[in-house]
Amino acid sequence: MQVANKVALVTGSGKGLGKAFAGALLQRGARVCISDVDPKTLQTTYDEYTSQYGRENVCSIPCDVTVESDLKDVFSKTRGELKGLDIVVNNAGIANEAMWDKMVDINLKGVIRGTLLAMDAMKTVNGGKGGVIVNVASMAGILPVAHVPAYSAAKHGVVAYTRSWAKNPESTDNNIRMVSLCPAYAKTDILKMDKGAAHGEVLVEESFDKLGIMSVDTVVEAFLKILDDSDNHGKALSVTKMKGMAYV
Ligand SMILES: NC(=O)c1ccc[n+]([C@@H]2O[C@H](COP(=O)([O-])OP(=O)(O)OC[C@H]3O[C@@H](n4cnc5c(N)ncnc54)[C@H](O)[C@@H]3O)[C@@H](O)[C@H]2O)c1
Protein backbone atom coordinates (compact mmCIF):
# COMPACT_ATOMS: atom_id res chain seq x y z
CA MET A 1 0.00 0.00 0.00
CA GLN A 2 1.20 3.50 -0.84
CA VAL A 3 1.09 5.35 2.48
CA ALA A 4 1.29 8.88 1.06
CA ASN A 5 -2.02 10.78 1.29
CA LYS A 6 -3.69 7.99 3.25
CA VAL A 7 -5.49 8.59 6.56
CA ALA A 8 -4.43 6.49 9.56
CA LEU A 9 -5.55 6.07 13.15
CA VAL A 10 -3.22 4.59 15.79
CA THR A 11 -4.48 3.73 19.29
CA GLY A 12 -2.12 4.02 22.26
CA SER A 13 0.17 6.31 20.28
CA GLY A 14 1.21 8.78 22.99
CA LYS A 15 4.48 6.88 23.39
CA GLY A 16 6.30 3.65 22.59
CA LEU A 17 5.60 1.60 19.47
CA GLY A 18 2.32 3.40 18.69
CA LYS A 19 4.06 6.77 18.65
CA ALA A 20 6.76 5.34 16.37
CA PHE A 21 4.19 3.80 13.99
CA ALA A 22 2.38 7.16 13.79
CA GLY A 23 5.70 8.95 13.13
CA ALA A 24 6.62 6.52 10.34
CA LEU A 25 3.23 7.06 8.69
CA LEU A 26 3.54 10.85 8.91
CA GLN A 27 7.06 10.71 7.52
CA ARG A 28 5.70 8.83 4.49
CA GLY A 29 3.05 11.47 3.83
CA ALA A 30 -0.02 10.09 5.61
CA ARG A 31 -2.38 12.16 7.75
CA VAL A 32 -2.58 10.56 11.19
CA CYS A 33 -4.85 10.62 14.22
CA ILE A 34 -2.91 9.86 17.37
CA SER A 35 -4.87 8.81 20.44
CA ASP A 36 -4.12 7.61 23.93
CA VAL A 37 -5.66 7.17 27.37
CA ASP A 38 -2.85 9.30 28.86
CA PRO A 39 -3.49 12.97 27.98
CA LYS A 40 0.03 14.07 28.95
CA THR A 41 2.00 11.86 26.58
CA LEU A 42 -0.63 12.48 23.92
CA GLN A 43 -0.14 16.25 24.14
CA THR A 44 3.67 15.94 24.07
CA THR A 45 3.55 13.73 20.97
CA TYR A 46 0.96 15.99 19.32
CA ASP A 47 3.21 19.05 19.87
CA GLU A 48 6.22 17.18 18.48
CA TYR A 49 4.44 15.82 15.40
CA THR A 50 2.52 19.00 14.52
CA SER A 51 5.75 21.02 14.60
CA GLN A 52 7.45 18.38 12.42
CA TYR A 53 4.64 17.54 9.99
CA GLY A 54 2.14 20.42 10.19
CA ARG A 55 -1.18 20.85 12.02
CA GLU A 56 -3.18 19.89 8.95
CA ASN A 57 -1.67 16.39 8.99
CA VAL A 58 -2.13 15.37 12.63
CA CYS A 59 -5.10 15.18 14.93
CA SER A 60 -5.07 14.13 18.53
CA ILE A 61 -8.05 12.58 20.33
CA PRO A 62 -7.93 11.13 23.85
CA CYS A 63 -9.33 7.60 23.99
CA ASP A 64 -9.51 4.67 26.36
CA VAL A 65 -9.92 1.59 24.15
CA THR A 66 -11.98 -0.12 26.86
CA VAL A 67 -14.68 2.55 26.49
CA GLU A 68 -16.81 1.95 23.40
CA SER A 69 -18.04 5.57 23.23
CA ASP A 70 -14.43 6.88 23.34
CA LEU A 71 -13.45 4.66 20.43
CA LYS A 72 -16.54 5.59 18.40
CA ASP A 73 -15.69 9.24 18.96
CA VAL A 74 -12.10 8.72 17.73
CA PHE A 75 -13.28 7.01 14.57
CA SER A 76 -15.88 9.63 13.70
CA LYS A 77 -13.57 12.58 14.52
CA THR A 78 -10.70 11.09 12.51
CA ARG A 79 -12.95 10.66 9.47
CA GLY A 80 -14.33 14.17 9.93
CA GLU A 81 -11.05 16.00 10.57
CA LEU A 82 -8.71 14.06 8.28
CA LYS A 83 -11.29 13.22 5.61
CA GLY A 84 -11.17 9.45 5.28
CA LEU A 85 -9.80 6.32 6.91
CA ASP A 86 -7.45 3.85 5.21
CA ILE A 87 -5.22 2.40 7.95
CA VAL A 88 -6.16 1.48 11.54
CA VAL A 89 -3.54 0.28 14.00
CA ASN A 90 -5.03 -1.33 17.09
CA ASN A 91 -1.92 -0.90 19.21
CA ALA A 92 -2.88 0.15 22.77
CA GLY A 93 -1.73 -2.39 25.33
CA ILE A 94 -0.43 -3.04 28.84
CA ALA A 95 1.45 -5.90 30.50
CA ASN A 96 0.30 -6.49 34.06
CA GLU A 97 -0.87 -9.88 35.30
CA ALA A 98 -2.03 -8.32 38.58
CA MET A 99 -4.68 -6.52 36.52
CA TRP A 100 -5.43 -9.42 34.16
CA ASP A 101 -9.09 -8.53 33.74
CA LYS A 102 -8.33 -4.96 32.68
CA MET A 103 -5.43 -6.23 30.56
CA VAL A 104 -7.72 -8.57 28.61
CA ASP A 105 -10.17 -5.68 28.19
CA ILE A 106 -7.44 -3.48 26.68
CA ASN A 107 -5.28 -6.01 24.83
CA LEU A 108 -7.97 -8.27 23.36
CA LYS A 109 -11.38 -6.61 23.67
CA GLY A 110 -9.88 -3.23 22.70
CA VAL A 111 -8.57 -4.80 19.48
CA ILE A 112 -11.96 -6.40 18.76
CA ARG A 113 -13.76 -3.07 19.34
CA GLY A 114 -11.25 -1.26 17.13
CA THR A 115 -11.45 -3.88 14.37
CA LEU A 116 -15.25 -3.78 14.23
CA LEU A 117 -15.31 0.03 14.09
CA ALA A 118 -12.57 0.03 11.46
CA MET A 119 -14.50 -2.46 9.33
CA ASP A 120 -17.68 -0.39 9.62
CA ALA A 121 -15.81 2.70 8.45
CA MET A 122 -13.87 1.00 5.65
CA LYS A 123 -16.45 -1.37 4.14
CA THR A 124 -17.16 -0.62 0.51
CA VAL A 125 -20.82 -1.55 1.09
CA ASN A 126 -20.92 1.35 3.56
CA GLY A 127 -19.34 3.75 1.07
CA GLY A 128 -15.75 3.21 2.32
CA LYS A 129 -12.75 2.35 0.17
CA GLY A 130 -11.52 -0.69 2.09
CA GLY A 131 -8.20 -0.47 3.91
CA VAL A 132 -5.66 -2.15 6.16
CA ILE A 133 -6.05 -3.03 9.85
CA VAL A 134 -2.88 -3.85 11.78
CA ASN A 135 -3.60 -5.56 15.09
CA VAL A 136 -0.60 -5.37 17.40
CA ALA A 137 -0.20 -8.77 19.05
CA SER A 138 3.19 -10.13 20.19
CA MET A 139 5.39 -13.23 19.97
CA ALA A 140 3.42 -14.02 23.15
CA GLY A 141 0.48 -14.45 20.77
CA ILE A 142 2.31 -17.26 18.98
CA LEU A 143 4.27 -18.96 21.77
CA PRO A 144 3.43 -19.56 25.45
CA VAL A 145 5.09 -17.21 27.94
CA ALA A 146 5.43 -18.62 31.45
CA HIS A 147 5.59 -15.33 33.36
CA VAL A 148 2.66 -13.59 31.64
CA PRO A 149 -0.03 -16.22 30.95
CA ALA A 150 -2.99 -13.81 30.71
CA TYR A 151 -1.00 -11.45 28.45
CA SER A 152 -0.11 -14.42 26.25
CA ALA A 153 -3.75 -15.59 26.18
CA ALA A 154 -4.96 -12.12 25.14
CA LYS A 155 -2.33 -11.86 22.39
CA HIS A 156 -3.14 -15.39 21.12
CA GLY A 157 -6.71 -14.10 20.97
CA VAL A 158 -5.65 -11.15 18.79
CA VAL A 159 -3.85 -13.47 16.35
CA ALA A 160 -6.82 -15.89 16.20
CA TYR A 161 -9.33 -13.05 15.80
CA THR A 162 -7.37 -11.55 12.91
CA ARG A 163 -6.86 -14.94 11.20
CA SER A 164 -10.56 -15.73 11.54
CA TRP A 165 -11.75 -12.48 9.95
CA ALA A 166 -9.51 -13.17 6.97
CA LYS A 167 -11.49 -16.38 6.32
CA ASN A 168 -14.73 -14.37 6.22
CA PRO A 169 -15.74 -12.90 2.85
CA GLU A 170 -17.03 -9.82 4.67
CA SER A 171 -13.39 -8.70 4.85
CA THR A 172 -12.22 -9.62 1.34
CA ASP A 173 -15.45 -8.56 -0.39
CA ASN A 174 -15.02 -5.12 1.17
CA ASN A 175 -11.36 -4.78 0.23
CA ILE A 176 -10.22 -4.97 3.86
CA ARG A 177 -6.88 -6.59 4.69
CA MET A 178 -5.90 -7.31 8.28
CA VAL A 179 -2.65 -8.57 9.76
CA SER A 180 -1.27 -9.23 13.27
CA LEU A 181 2.12 -7.78 14.18
CA CYS A 182 3.97 -10.08 16.58
CA PRO A 183 7.19 -8.61 17.95
CA ALA A 184 9.33 -10.11 20.69
CA TYR A 185 10.73 -7.65 23.25
CA ALA A 186 11.32 -4.09 22.07
CA LYS A 187 12.75 -1.24 24.11
CA THR A 188 9.69 0.64 25.41
CA ASP A 189 8.23 1.42 28.84
CA ILE A 190 6.05 -1.70 28.75
CA LEU A 191 9.16 -3.71 29.74
CA LYS A 192 9.50 -1.75 33.02
CA MET A 193 7.11 -4.08 34.77
CA ASP A 194 5.78 -3.11 38.20
CA LYS A 195 6.34 -5.54 41.06
CA GLY A 196 3.69 -8.26 40.78
CA ALA A 197 3.03 -7.53 37.12
CA ALA A 198 4.54 -10.89 36.14
CA HIS A 199 4.52 -14.35 37.72
CA GLY A 200 8.19 -14.84 38.65
CA GLU A 201 10.80 -12.10 38.34
CA VAL A 202 13.53 -14.65 37.58
CA LEU A 203 11.54 -15.89 34.61
CA VAL A 204 11.25 -12.32 33.29
CA GLU A 205 15.01 -11.77 33.42
CA GLU A 206 15.70 -15.20 31.87
CA SER A 207 13.32 -14.43 29.04
CA PHE A 208 14.86 -10.98 28.36
CA ASP A 209 18.32 -12.60 28.31
CA LYS A 210 17.22 -15.42 26.01
CA LEU A 211 15.34 -13.34 23.42
CA GLY A 212 17.20 -10.03 23.69
CA ILE A 213 15.58 -6.63 23.33
CA MET A 214 15.05 -5.12 19.87
CA SER A 215 15.01 -1.46 18.96
CA VAL A 216 11.71 0.27 18.27
CA ASP A 217 13.01 0.93 14.73
CA THR A 218 13.16 -2.82 14.04
CA VAL A 219 9.48 -3.16 14.91
CA VAL A 220 8.63 -0.11 12.77
CA GLU A 221 10.32 -1.84 9.80
CA ALA A 222 8.05 -4.84 10.33
CA PHE A 223 5.01 -2.58 10.60
CA LEU A 224 5.87 -0.93 7.27
CA LYS A 225 6.41 -4.35 5.68
CA ILE A 226 2.86 -5.32 6.65
CA LEU A 227 1.55 -2.23 4.86
CA ASP A 228 3.75 -2.82 1.79
CA ASP A 229 3.00 -6.52 1.33
CA SER A 230 -0.34 -7.21 -0.31
CA ASP A 231 -0.78 -10.98 0.11
CA ASN A 232 -0.72 -11.14 3.91
CA HIS A 233 -4.43 -10.99 4.77
CA GLY A 234 -4.97 -12.79 8.10
CA LYS A 235 -1.31 -13.58 8.61
CA ALA A 236 0.83 -12.87 11.67
CA LEU A 237 4.26 -11.31 11.15
CA SER A 238 6.74 -12.42 13.81
CA VAL A 239 9.74 -10.19 14.56
CA THR A 240 12.59 -11.45 16.71
CA LYS A 241 16.15 -10.43 17.33
CA MET A 242 17.49 -13.87 16.34
CA LYS A 243 15.36 -14.70 13.29
CA GLY A 244 14.21 -11.32 11.96
CA MET A 245 10.79 -11.16 10.30
CA ALA A 246 8.66 -14.11 9.16
CA TYR A 247 4.98 -14.62 8.40
CA VAL A 248 3.51 -17.45 10.45
N1 LIG B 1 7.56 -3.33 23.66
C1 LIG B 1 7.48 -4.65 23.57
O1 LIG B 1 8.37 -5.39 23.98
C2 LIG B 1 6.27 -5.28 22.92
C3 LIG B 1 6.40 -6.56 22.37
C4 LIG B 1 5.29 -7.16 21.78
C5 LIG B 1 4.10 -6.48 21.71
N2 LIG B 1 3.99 -5.23 22.24
C6 LIG B 1 2.68 -4.58 22.14
O2 LIG B 1 2.86 -3.32 21.51
C7 LIG B 1 1.82 -2.44 21.92
C8 LIG B 1 2.42 -1.12 22.34
O3 LIG B 1 3.22 -1.34 23.50
P1 LIG B 1 4.51 -0.47 23.85
O4 LIG B 1 5.64 -1.40 23.95
O5 LIG B 1 4.60 0.68 22.94
O6 LIG B 1 4.14 -0.01 25.32
P2 LIG B 1 4.11 1.45 25.98
O7 LIG B 1 3.77 1.20 27.40
O8 LIG B 1 5.35 2.17 25.65
O9 LIG B 1 2.91 2.18 25.23
C9 LIG B 1 1.59 1.73 25.36
C10 LIG B 1 0.68 2.91 25.12
O10 LIG B 1 -0.69 2.43 25.23
C11 LIG B 1 -1.42 3.35 26.01
N3 LIG B 1 -2.57 2.71 26.64
C12 LIG B 1 -2.57 1.87 27.71
N4 LIG B 1 -3.83 1.54 28.03
C13 LIG B 1 -4.64 2.16 27.14
C14 LIG B 1 -6.04 2.23 26.95
N5 LIG B 1 -6.89 1.60 27.78
N6 LIG B 1 -6.53 2.97 25.92
C15 LIG B 1 -5.69 3.65 25.09
N7 LIG B 1 -4.36 3.66 25.25
C16 LIG B 1 -3.83 2.91 26.25
C17 LIG B 1 -0.42 3.86 27.04
O11 LIG B 1 -0.85 5.07 27.64
C18 LIG B 1 0.84 4.00 26.19
O12 LIG B 1 0.92 5.27 25.57
C19 LIG B 1 1.06 -3.17 23.03
O13 LIG B 1 -0.10 -3.77 22.50
C20 LIG B 1 2.04 -4.24 23.48
O14 LIG B 1 1.41 -5.35 24.06
C21 LIG B 1 5.04 -4.61 22.84
Side-chain angles (χ1 to χ4, degrees):
M1 172 190 245
Q2 282 277 4
V3 169
N5 300 316
K6 296 289 193 301
V7 174
L9 159 59
V10 188
T11 66
S13 44
K15 66 175 182 176
L17 296 178
K19 177 184 175 184
F21 300 150
L25 291 165
L26 284 161
Q27 200 186 15
R28 281 157 186 78
R31 305 193 294 289
V32 180
C33 174
I34 55 169
S35 88
D36 205 284
V37 71
D38 176 7
K40 231 170 120 183
T41 54
L42 187 61
Q43 185 63 45
T44 308
T45 298
Y46 178 71
D47 291 344
E48 183 183 329
Y49 283 170
T50 47
S51 73
Q52 223 172 331
Y53 300 106
R55 275 183 192 281
E56 66 283 12
N57 293 316
V58 192
C59 79
S60 155
I61 302 162
C63 165
D64 180 339
V65 298
T66 66
V67 180
E68 180 88 16
S69 56
D70 270 19
L71 260 185
K72 281 189 171 157
D73 195 41
V74 172
F75 275 81
S76 71
K77 284 186 176 156
T78 303
R79 293 168 77 192
E81 287 185 33
L82 300 180
K83 312 272 176 275
L85 190 64
D86 307 285
I87 299 165
V88 170
V89 189
N90 290 306
N91 164 77
I94 62 168
N96 191 336
E97 295 289 310
M99 300 194 294
W100 64 265
D101 199 355
K102 183 177 177 188
M103 182 168 65
V104 172
D105 203 357
I106 297 170
N107 293 12
L108 176 57
K109 289 166 76 179
V111 169
I112 294 175
R113 286 182 197 100
T115 301
L116 291 174
L117 288 168
M119 287 184 77
D120 255 6
M122 290 173 172
K123 274 182 186 171
T124 50
V125 289
N126 294 346
K129 295 177 292 176
V132 181
I133 302 170
V134 180
N135 287 332
V136 180
S138 164
M139 279 305 287
I142 297 172
L143 300 170
V145 186
H147 56 276
V148 284
Y151 180 85
S152 181
K155 295 297 189 180
H156 271 73
V158 171
V159 172
Y161 183 74
T162 309
R163 275 194 210 292
S164 301
W165 260 126
K167 299 279 179 205
N168 189 314
E170 213 174 309
S171 61
T172 30
D173 289 355
N174 284 287
N175 198 21
I176 294 169
R177 176 161 65 90
M178 56 179 101
V179 184
S180 309
L181 174 59
C182 298
Y185 299 119
K187 199 168 169 38
T188 70
D189 288 350
I190 208 169
L191 300 186
K192 297 178 194 160
M193 294 178 112
D194 294 336
K195 217 172 167 51
H199 297 286
E201 281 171 27
V202 179
L203 294 176
V204 178
E205 290 309 320
E206 279 174 4
S207 180
F208 286 173
D209 287 348
K210 189 173 162 202
L211 294 179
I213 296 177
M214 300 181 290
S215 70
V216 167
D217 286 350
T218 302
V219 184
V220 170
E221 264 179 55
F223 167 70
L224 293 171
K225 177 177 169 57
I226 285 176
L227 297 180
D228 279 349
D229 293 348
S230 53
D231 58 348
N232 53 7
H233 188 33
K235 291 188 181 158
L237 182 64
S238 69
V239 199
T240 63
K241 197 158 187 165
M242 279 172 288
K243 295 191 177 161
M245 294 183 236
Y247 284 109
V248 291

